[in-house]
Amino acid sequence: MVPGAEPFEPITVGIAIGAASALTGYLSYPDFYCRFVECCREEQPVNASALKLDLEEKLFGQHLAREVILKALTGFGNNRNPKKPLTLSLHGWAGTGKNFVSQIVAENLHPKGLKSNFVHLFVSTLHFPHEQEIKLYQEQLQKWIRGNVSACARSVFIFDEMDKLHRGLIDAIKPFLDYYEQVDGISYRKAIFIFLSNAGGDLITRMALDFWRAGKKREDIQLKDLESVLSLGVFNNKNSGLWHSGLIDKSLIDYFVPFLPLEYRHVKMCVRAEMKSRGFTIDEEVVTKVADEMTFFPKEEKIYSDKGCKTVQTRLDFY
């Protein structure tokens, strides 16, 4: 079932803090209130420098994703009057960084990140498991989005495992993603929708492999080389969750963001980052051992990690 349909309203806490504020003369200062209750900072601009640093330190081997996310999020976040919600569709094999990006986006918009009351994560196999319940899910999804955007215009909605989503379900949110000023009295133009999917991973890998075999650098791959092929491939893929979707047909997805397969050197970067996050001194011998335990494809060349960096944490635990 979709999570509870009512948005968070800190009424009791708000009354208590409001009374205290009135007594101490701080009622006119929002920052005081927001020390105790999470606030929706709708007009706060996106810090481009902080976002850029996050992407550089946490996302490896994804020059296309870094560029698109940085430009799209800062441009949208600093626009006081966007014409539609920002809609991103992230594609690539598991372990390439799609979840990292959604986490980074959430943290740069709301300090609590994925734990924020204004960031909402839907996992297809958890929240929409039964195909026969699509109509119910569509109604609940619309109610959930409507309620939360009413509470915070800059709400973030993340849909994981789009390739496992039942066909047609996602079209329920099409009115919220369109160029309407309002829908039933509510403006959705400042909201952000992010779709995560493994669909299209084969197309992305094929392009990366073609570049490698032609002696070109992966950094030479440009968004224009992949975006149109990716959108068409996802539209025609029955397992994409966006199969023949009106979201694609009506050009409501702003960017199809390809995540390239990760090479051996990128896996080592992931190991180092994980060791650093745990407070360990980086030991290159351990880094190499962990990276060497990963499996790579194609069978002949063995260029790309078949799990990306997904199992780095558990393999590092062994050492």
Side-chain angles (χ1 to χ4, degrees), residues 112-161:
K112 289 188 176 182
L114 295 177
K115 295 180 180 179
S116 169
N117 292 304
F118 311 124
V119 177
H120 314 283
L121 173 65
F122 299 95
V123 181
S124 297
T125 51
L126 175 63
H127 297 121
F128 315 109
H130 307 298
E131 189 172 8
Q132 65 272 22
E133 300 289 348
I134 285 182
K135 291 295 182 184
L136 175 62
Y137 296 150
Q138 287 179 326
E139 292 173 4
Q140 290 178 328
L141 189 54
Q142 288 180 341
K143 186 177 181 181
W144 178 253
I145 292 174
R146 187 180 300 116
N148 282 285
V149 173
S150 297
C152 179
R154 197 182 276 190
S155 291
V156 179
F157 301 94
I158 303 167
F159 293 82
D160 197 6
E161 298 184 344

Side-chain angles (χ1 to χ4, degrees), residues 283-290:
D283 185 332
E284 288 299 330
E285 185 178 348
V286 173
V287 171
T288 300
K289 285 181 179 179
V290 173

Side-chain angles (χ1 to χ4, degrees), residues 275-295:
M275 294 182 77
K276 183 179 178 181
S277 71
R278 298 188 188 190
F280 297 144
T281 300
I282 295 175
D283 185 332
E284 288 299 330
E285 185 178 348
V286 173
V287 171
T288 300
K289 285 181 179 179
V290 173
D292 285 347
E293 285 191 4
M294 307 293 276
T295 53

Side-chain angles (χ1 to χ4, degrees), residues 85-99:
L86 178 63
T87 308
L88 306 171
S89 192
L90 316 185
H91 298 268
W93 293 130
T96 52
K98 301 185 299 295
N99 282 292

Side-chain angles (χ1 to χ4, degrees), residues 30-31 34-35 39-45 109-111 118 152 154:
D31 286 343
C34 295
R35 291 178 188 174
C39 294
C40 177
R41 304 296 184 93
E42 295 181 11
E43 302 303 324
Q44 185 170 318
L109 289 171
H110 302 288
F118 311 124
C152 179
R154 197 182 276 190

Side-chain angles (χ1 to χ4, degrees), residues 151-218:
C152 179
R154 197 182 276 190
S155 291
V156 179
F157 301 94
I158 303 167
F159 293 82
D160 197 6
E161 298 184 344
M162 281 292 293
D163 46 304
K164 297 179 178 66
L165 191 70
H166 300 300
R167 284 176 283 177
L169 198 160
I170 201 65
D171 278 347
I173 69 172
K174 178 181 173 292
F176 306 142
L177 272 57
D178 216 326
Y179 290 82
Y180 299 123
E181 188 171 348
Q182 289 187 343
V183 178
D184 292 334
I186 300 171
S187 174
Y188 296 88
R189 290 182 167 188
K190 292 185 178 180
I192 295 178
F193 294 81
I194 304 174
F195 306 131
L196 313 182
S197 177
N198 291 347
D202 53 343
L203 297 172
I204 298 167
T205 298
R206 194 178 307 143
M207 176 69 74
L209 197 55
D210 287 345
F211 266 67
W212 184 85
R213 286 172 174 163
K216 299 178 182 178
K217 297 179 180 179
R218 66 190 280 127

